[in-house]
Amino acid sequence: MSDDQQNWPLFEVFIRGRAGLEHKHVGSLHAADGQMALEHARDLYTRRMEGVSLWVVRSKDITASDPDDADALFEPAKDKIYRHPTFYEIPDEVKNL
Amino acid sequence: MSRAEAKRSYPDLGQSERFRYVLRLADTSLILGQRLGEWVGHAPALEEDLGVANISLDLIGQARMLLSYAGEIEAAGRDEDRLAYLRDQNDFLNLALVEQPNGDFGCTIVRQVLIDAWQLELHTWLEASTDQRLREIAAKAVKETRYHLRYSSGWLIRLGDGTDESHARVQASLNDLWKFTNELFSADEIDVLAENAGVAPRLSELHSRWSVRIDEILSQATLTRPVDVSYGWFGKRGEHTEHLGHILSEMQFLQRAYPDVTW
C-alpha cells in the first residue's frame, strides 16, 4: 500500500436503502476527495443493490460524543419512562403506529 | 422510435456477417474484462481494486449476453462458454486496443478512457439498432458504460492534471496506445454491411462524437492529443498483437486442461 493511499482522508458512508427511508451509516473508506469517495462508496457498498442514494462525509468533520461522557449524556433519560409511548391503549383498528 | 420501426427499409445482414459483427463486440468486452481482472489484488488501493473489478464484471456480463446471441446466430451448437473458452487466437475478433497490457495504473486508465468513450457512443447508438437483441443488450450496457467513463475519465483528469510524474506517465501511455484507436473507426466490409442494414453505426460519425468527448477529457487532464496514424492492427479481423495469446492461455487454461469440467 503506497504512502499516497495512506494519505487519502477517511470518509464515512451513508446509504438510503430505498425511497422514503433515512440514510444509514454503513462504513468508511479512503478517497482523495468527496467525488472519489462517492464513486468508491458506489463500488464498495452498493454492489448488491443496497441503496438508491449515497452520502459521504469526511470523518474528521463529524463531531462525536465522548464515551466518557456517556453517563452525563444518557443516564438522565433512564428514569423517564413516561417519555415512551407505552401508556396508550391502541385501538384494534389501528394496524400500524 | 427504433430504426426497425421506421418506415425506411434496410437490406438484410447475412447470418455470417451478423455473427462476426456481434462477435467483435462480444470479444472486445470479454478481453477487456479479462485484462481488468488482472488488477484484482494488485490495484493501488483496496478501493480501486473493487472499482476496477466492478467494471470488469460489467464487461464480462455484456460479453456473456453478446456471446450467447452470437451462438444463436451461428446456430452451430456453440454456447457462450464454448465461444469464450474453445476458440483460438485468430478466431477472436476483439479490438487490438483492449488486449494491450495493463502497464501501470495510469496506462490502464488511458486504455479505459479510449474504449469507454467508444463504447458509450456505440451503445447509445445501438439502442436504436434494427437488431432487436443488440437494442436490448445496449439498453442495459449503456448505463454501465456511462459509469465506466465517469470512473476512467475522473482518474485520467486527476493523473494528467496531477504531479509532473503522473502527467508524464499518462501522456506517454496515451502516445503509445493512440495508434490502436485507428481500428476503432476504420470500417471494413462487415462494418459497412452492418451499417447499411441499420444494425451498426457509421464509424465516421462515431469518430466525430468520440473525438468531442476525448478532446474535452484530454483538455481537462491537460494532456496533448497525439497525431493520428494511418496504419493499425485489425484485431476485429483476427489480426492480433502478441499479447492476446498470453491472455487466452490464462483465460482458457481450465477448460483446455479439463474439458467440460464444472463445479
Side-chain angles (χ1 to χ4, degrees):
Chain A
M1 210 177 278
S2 73
D3 288 346
D4 283 341
Q5 201 263 325
Q6 286 174 355
N7 290 337
W8 281 355
L10 195 66
F11 284 80
E12 301 299 323
V13 181
F14 299 81
I15 296 181
R16 184 199 293 279
R18 54 188 166 83
L21 294 183
E22 71 279 30
H23 284 75
K24 279 207 168 119
H25 184 242
V26 293
S28 57
L29 50 76
H30 288 94
D33 58 27
Q35 190 58 44
M36 190 193 281
L38 213 48
E39 279 158 29
H40 285 162
R42 180 264 193 192
D43 286 335
L44 267 71
Y45 291 110
T46 66
R47 294 157 56 81
R48 300 176 186 87
M49 300 194 303
E50 285 91 340
V52 296
S53 168
L54 280 168
W55 286 351
V56 291
V57 60
R58 280 207 188 202
S59 309
K60 72 174 180 60
D61 290 337
I62 291 179
T63 308
S65 63
D66 187 336
D68 290 342
D69 295 340
D71 286 353
L73 290 171
F74 309 120
E75 281 283 333
K78 261 191 177 166
D79 62 355
K80 299 181 178 63
I81 57 167
Y82 48 82
R83 287 175 178 169
H84 290 275
T86 48
F87 301 97
Y88 298 95
E89 293 282 332
I90 300 171
D92 292 340
E93 298 81 51
V94 179
K95 295 272 187 279
N96 301 301
L97 194 72
Chain B
M1 190 194 298
S2 73
R3 290 177 183 80
E5 292 153 343
K7 289 235 166 62
R8 193 186 148 187
S9 68
Y10 292 87
D12 213 19
L13 185 63
Q15 179 197 20
S16 151
E17 288 76 17
R18 193 181 297 266
F19 171 68
R20 289 179 72 81
Y21 181 73
V22 173
L23 210 49
R24 287 175 175 186
L25 305 187
D27 288 345
T28 294
S29 288
L30 179 64
I31 297 301
L32 184 58
Q34 178 72 15
R35 263 288 184 238
L36 290 176
E38 292 170 15
W39 273 110
V40 173
H42 304 278
L46 184 61
E47 285 83 351
E48 301 311 329
D49 229 76
L50 269 293
V52 173
N54 264 338
I55 296 176
S56 169
L57 287 175
D58 283 346
L59 289 164
I60 290 170
Q62 293 168 14
R64 290 187 58 187
M65 290 188 286
L66 289 161
L67 285 172
S68 293
Y69 180 39
E72 289 171 38
I73 298 169
E74 188 190 37
R78 289 202 282 184
D79 63 6
E80 51 176 295
D81 286 333
R82 289 191 68 85
L83 284 169
Y85 294 126
L86 298 175
R87 273 182 303 148
D88 285 331
Q89 172 169 331
N90 293 346
D91 297 324
F92 270 79
L93 303 181
N94 57 281
L95 299 167
L97 173 64
V98 300
E99 71 201 35
Q100 298 313 304
N102 285 336
D104 58 24
F105 189 71
C107 179
T108 294
I109 289 298
V110 169
R111 186 186 63 202
Q112 199 62 32
V113 166
L114 297 175
I115 199 71
D116 284 344
W118 180 81
Q119 281 192 328
L120 182 54
E121 295 302 341
L122 175 73
H123 292 152
T124 303
W125 192 96
L126 286 178
E127 283 191 282
S129 167
T130 56
D131 187 307
Q132 188 195 337
R133 285 287 288 280
L134 287 183
R135 283 207 302 277
E136 292 164 0
I137 293 168
K140 178 175 187 296
V142 75
K143 296 177 200 140
E144 298 168 345
T145 312
R146 204 170 288 132
Y147 182 78
H148 300 169
L149 182 62
R150 178 177 154 151
Y151 175 92
S152 60
S153 64
W155 262 113
L156 189 62
I157 291 163
R158 287 175 194 280
L159 293 170
D161 194 17
T163 64
D164 286 346
E165 181 176 358
S166 70
H167 177 91
R169 281 195 186 208
V170 287
Q171 182 68 59
S173 298
L174 185 66
N175 297 346
D176 191 38
L177 289 172
W178 193 259
K179 56 183 172 289
F180 295 106
T181 62
N182 186 40
E183 179 190 6
L184 275 54
F185 307 105
S186 301
D188 70 355
E189 193 194 12
I190 289 178
D191 290 318
V192 171
L193 288 169
E195 177 202 325
N196 291 342
V199 169
R202 185 190 298 263
L203 290 184
S204 57
E205 285 174 16
L206 211 61
H207 189 209
S208 315
R209 287 199 291 274
W210 178 84
S211 274
V212 172
R213 275 190 198 280
I214 290 294
D215 285 343
E216 196 186 311
I217 293 165
L218 293 184
S219 146
Q220 283 190 64
T222 70
L223 294 167
T224 309
R225 179 178 171 135
V227 179
D228 287 335
V229 294
S230 57
Y231 68 98
W233 277 265
F234 282 84
K236 61 184 176 183
R237 294 202 295 253
E239 302 159 12
H240 293 285
T241 57
E242 71 199 78
H243 307 294
L244 182 64
H246 296 279
I247 299 176
L248 295 186
S249 66
E250 184 169 307
M251 188 179 85
Q252 298 183 332
F253 167 78
L254 203 66
Q255 276 301 319
R256 300 285 195 184
Y258 307 96
D260 297 324
V261 69
T262 55
W263 61 40

